[in-house]
Amino acid sequence: MALGLIAIIALTGLNVYSLTDLRDTRLEADHERRNKQLQNIDFQLTQEMNKPFFGLDKLNLNSVEAQFRRTGKFPEAFKEEVVQALSSDLFNEVYYTAIDVNPCEGQPILRFDADSNEFMSTYEYPKLVCDGTGVARTRVNTVFINNYDDEHNNVIGYDTHRTLNIALMDLFERSTIGYLTFIFDKESLINYIKPSIVEEFGLEDETGVAVWLYDWVKDEVLATNAQNLSFSVDLVDNTESLANFPDWSLKIRYNTEESGAAYTTELIKNFLVLGTAVLMLFGALLFMFTTAQKERKLSIRQADFIANVTHELKTPLAVMQAAGENIADGRVTEEDRLQKYGDHIYNESIRLRKMIEKLLDVAKVDAGRALIKPAAHSLGDLVSAFVEHHNPYLVDKGFTVTTNLQDNLPAVYIDPDSFETILSNLTENAIKYSSNTKAVHYEIVQDGNFITCSITDKGVGIPKKEQKFIFDKFYRVEDPLTATTKGHGLGLSIIKNHVDLNGGSISLESEPGKGTTFSVSFPILAENNPVKSAATTGPSQNHQSTNKKNIEYVG
Ligand code: ADP
């Protein structure tokens, strides 16, 4: 029991720990998932910006440049790439700066004119081109220093959210040919990011998760899914910088409270389930413990029983042996002594027979072989015959015997031998457990669809708390009278078994010091034909619907 308790407590502790841990891990996993969604927005944006230039790698830029030097015009394939890039809303215009031209010194560069589908020379271009080509140059230098892989003929460099710059490379010479500078449309960029935020995270009103596209240089929120929540750094749980726009970042508030509360509710539910399981385990442990205790008590009682029975079998045998020996030796010749010895042998043999019968009864019940031969009988008749037969014995013991047996009651389907066993055991107990007032009363009544036979004594009674145990095999109430009364705690278990075999039920009412009533009930036969009772046959019987047979024998 103690080990079981320790195991349950240890298991419960482990479960509580792992459930709490599970909640924290789930919260962490939730946050991890949110961060992945932020990275996803950034990744998609980069993909979207790079997409138009995937075809550049396939062009031979040496021949592109050669044609440009020769004719002053770019080949169609090259222009197609540029047109495709410009078709994205993200870019406003594009400039080409040859390697030998410096846009920071106001030298003319080329601007792509969508109407004529040609690059035109211009002096009018934003300062952004100077900055952008500077960024691209630095990128190219880094790439060459880090062992250029010769696979790509262009390198992309971003000047924050202002320009995307592509350095076009000569893979033979390992040198730069020129720069394409695409001017970002800031509004379009923001308009591209905003729906992706809503798509990934839903609206803050509905999900509780708030995401802001934030420009830290200008301290300005560019886009958000939280219209009703004003931005504050205190609200931010995590920040994800955008790879190509270092002055922009995505900031998120996880809504830890709501998902934390949901997980806590789940945790409480889990604790409830765990609590119930632990209670059930305790119940099972308690059940096993009490069953084991019962078994232990039963085996102690069984051992006592065997010791007692052996002793009790030996006593009458010894008496009979001594008496028989004396007669056989011819030591006893006088008639009155011979009769006394004969009585002794007779009485002891009856005691022995009864004891053996009881043992056989228990053995039969244990082996499930208590065969019964039921038939329609009037309980009144059976009780009446029993009382008549045993009355002299009861009177001899000093008992007053009274009956209240209604005639004409419907028959029950019962084995008369079984009923005899029930009556004799109950009568024997009434005798054994009566000390001052010696009275026994037999009664038969109809109770709805049942006929009930009660046997009442005015004996020591049975305490309430003992009553549910007395039908157990070998159980005896621990009181002074029982201690001095012979018995093995088998009578009531035999009775109960016979009652069950005959489809009946048994109950008792008892008050210590006042007496006990045992009642056995059996269902009325379906045909409901009253069995003709010996007491009710005769000419007057038809006029007695509730003929009562009240008899009193005084001891
Ligand atoms: P036994 O009488 O051999 O002990 P039983 O199974 O007949 O065994 O009875 C079990 C216990 O119930 C008895 O030991 C006794 O304490 C109690 N008991 C049974 N019948 C009565 C009764 N009529 N009055 C008081 N106690 C009784």
Side-chain angles (χ1 to χ4, degrees):
M1 178 85 174
L3 264 179
L5 275 178
I6 292 172
I8 291 177
I9 291 167
L11 270 176
T12 314
L14 267 176
N15 269 309
V16 168
Y17 172 76
S18 52
L19 282 176
T20 323
D21 196 46
L22 178 72
R23 188 191 70 142
D24 295 346
T25 317
R26 289 180 72 182
L27 260 181
E28 249 172 58
D30 239 19
H31 295 173
E32 202 52 40
R33 185 168 56 89
R34 295 300 189 197
N35 293 345
K36 284 260 152 51
Q37 283 174 285
L38 285 183
Q39 289 162 6
N40 200 27
I41 293 177
D42 188 22
F43 177 74
Q44 278 175 5
L45 181 64
T46 309
Q47 287 285 97
E48 180 66 21
M49 289 182 307
N50 290 354
K51 201 166 56 185
F53 310 112
F54 288 161
L56 266 183
D57 272 342
K58 293 187 196 87
L59 293 181
N60 181 342
L61 290 183
N62 294 75
S63 61
V64 169
E65 197 210 14
Q67 182 173 338
F68 176 65
R69 294 262 177 231
R70 236 184 16 254
T71 63
K73 293 200 170 159
F74 284 106
E76 281 309 311
F78 180 77
K79 283 192 284 184
E80 265 169 30
E81 293 298 327
V82 173
V83 169
Q84 195 191 335
L86 271 184
S87 67
S88 158
D89 288 343
L90 299 181
F91 306 115
N92 276 335
E93 41 190 7
V94 58
Y95 294 90
Y96 177 77
T97 311
I99 189 69
D100 48 2
V101 175
N102 189 350
C104 301
E105 289 175 1
Q107 293 175 352
I109 59 168
L110 299 177
R111 177 179 172 278
F112 185 74
D113 177 40
D115 295 337
S116 61
N117 196 33
E118 284 300 344
F119 278 92
M120 308 283 203
S121 178
T122 178
Y123 284 94
E124 309 238 322
Y125 50 89
K127 192 181 164 290
L128 288 178
V129 180
C130 160
D131 299 343
T133 50
V135 170
R137 196 170 298 119
T138 317
R139 287 273 297 130
V140 169
N141 289 341
T142 327
V143 162
F144 279 142
I145 289 166
N146 290 343
N147 265 338
Y148 186 55
D149 61 9
D150 284 2
E151 269 185 29
H152 301 290
N153 58 10
N154 61 80
V155 174
I156 296 179
Y158 292 84
D159 178 15
T160 67
H161 56 272
R162 301 187 300 168
T163 55
L164 180 152
N165 303 276
I166 305 176
L168 305 173
M169 329 255 289
D170 178 341
L171 292 180
F172 282 120
E173 298 290 330
R174 298 178 71 80
S175 62
T176 311
I177 295 169
Y179 306 100
L180 279 171
T181 299
F182 289 85
I183 313 285
F184 273 123
D185 183 318
K186 185 179 165 192
E187 280 311 302
S188 299
L189 257 180
I190 294 170
N191 285 342
Y192 177 82
I193 298 173
K194 188 174 175 179
S196 353
I197 295 176
V198 178
E199 202 176 295
E200 287 283 347
F201 296 95
L203 291 172
E204 188 270 339
D205 288 351
E206 290 155 17
T207 62
V209 179
V211 176
W212 297 274
L213 174 64
Y214 179 72
D215 185 331
W216 64 267
V217 178
K218 293 196 175 147
D219 186 17
E220 180 189 356
V221 171
L222 303 173
T224 181
N225 67 340
Q227 297 309 335
N228 302 321
L229 189 67
S230 44
F231 175 78
S232 146
V233 275
D234 300 340
L235 296 175
V236 175
D237 288 315
N238 192 29
T239 300
E240 189 75 38
S241 298
L242 294 183
N244 300 315
F245 306 123
D247 50 348
W248 287 4
S249 60
L250 287 166
K251 293 188 178 293
I252 184 164
R253 192 196 68 163
Y254 291 135
N255 187 21
T256 309
E257 284 144 48
E258 212 166 281
S259 48
Y263 292 142
T264 307
T265 318
E266 218 165 282
L267 184 71
I268 291 169
K269 267 192 214 154
N270 282 337
F271 277 157
L272 282 177
V273 172
L274 179 70
T276 318
V278 168
L279 277 182
M280 281 165 77
L281 267 179
F282 269 125
L285 198 67
L286 207 67
F287 175 74
M288 275 161 58
F289 180 70
T290 45
T291 314
Q293 287 286 89
K294 259 193 198 163
E295 291 291 322
R296 207 170 63 90
K297 278 190 187 155
L298 184 68
S299 62
I300 291 174
R301 290 205 298 256
Q302 263 170 331
D304 283 355
F305 168 73
I306 289 169
N308 282 346
V309 159
T310 322
H311 172 76
E312 283 188 33
L313 285 176
K314 271 163 123 187
T315 315
L317 275 176
V319 172
M320 281 161 36
Q321 190 182 357
E325 214 172 73
N326 283 347
I327 296 168
D329 285 355
R331 266 181 270 158
V332 181
T333 47
E334 304 95 69
E335 207 169 302
D336 57 334
R337 278 191 71 200
L338 267 176
Q339 195 183 345
K340 221 169 138 200
Y341 272 71
D343 277 352
H344 243 10
I345 293 173
Y346 176 71
N347 287 336
E348 289 304 313
S349 66
I350 286 183
R351 226 178 105 192
L352 202 56
R353 183 177 59 84
K354 276 191 178 171
M355 215 179 311
I356 290 170
E357 271 174 5
K358 201 171 249 187
L359 282 175
L360 288 177
D361 228 345
V362 175
K364 269 199 269 174
V365 166
D366 278 351
R369 281 192 296 112
L371 293 180
I372 55 163
K373 291 189 194 110
H377 285 283
S378 150
L379 280 196
D381 284 357
L382 295 179
V383 173
S384 175
F386 177 87
V387 172
E388 233 164 78
H389 187 232
H390 290 83
N391 184 54
Y393 172 70
L394 282 159
V395 171
D396 194 40
K397 292 260 173 198
F399 273 79
T400 304
V401 182
T402 50
T403 61
N404 180 9
L405 313 173
Q406 278 189 17
D407 287 335
N408 260 4
L409 290 182
V412 296
Y413 197 61
I414 198 168
D415 173 31
D417 288 343
S418 271
F419 193 59
E420 162 93 24
T421 308
I422 294 167
L423 282 182
S424 58
N425 274 291
L426 287 177
T427 305
E428 208 177 296
N429 280 355
I431 296 170
K432 283 201 293 189
Y433 302 110
S434 295
S435 48
N436 298 334
T437 316
K438 298 190 171 187
V440 58
H441 177 70
Y442 297 85
E443 186 162 311
I444 299 282
V445 286
Q446 178 169 359
D447 184 6
N449 290 330
F450 294 86
I451 303 291
T452 301
C453 166
S454 317
I455 297 174
T456 306
D457 63 51
K458 293 197 161 62
V460 290
I462 305 166
K464 194 104 201 131
K465 64 178 173 36
E466 303 279 359
Q467 291 180 9
K468 59 176 179 292
F469 302 117
I470 57 170
F471 294 100
D472 292 352
K473 215 190 281 175
F474 303 120
Y475 192 86
R476 303 198 78 208
V477 177
E478 281 177 15
D479 68 37
L481 182 59
T482 310
T484 53
T485 312
K486 286 201 168 157
H488 302 291
L490 290 173
L492 284 176
S493 97
I494 292 171
I495 293 171
K496 171 91 172 61
N497 208 275
H498 279 285
V499 170
D500 288 347
L501 282 173
N502 286 279
S505 62
I506 183 162
S507 61
L508 80 147
E509 269 175 45
S510 185
E511 210 177 308
K514 293 213 166 146
T516 306
T517 298
F518 280 99
S519 303
V520 287
S521 300
F522 297 95
I524 291 169
L525 255 183
E527 293 92 49
N528 205 3
N529 290 329
V531 170
K532 288 202 169 174
S533 93
T536 56
T537 47
S540 61
Q541 165 223 350
N542 293 342
H543 310 291
Q544 300 174 330
S545 56
T546 54
N547 187 10
K548 284 193 177 175
K549 209 163 60 166
N550 297 336
I551 305 171
E552 186 165 327
Y553 308 85
V554 182

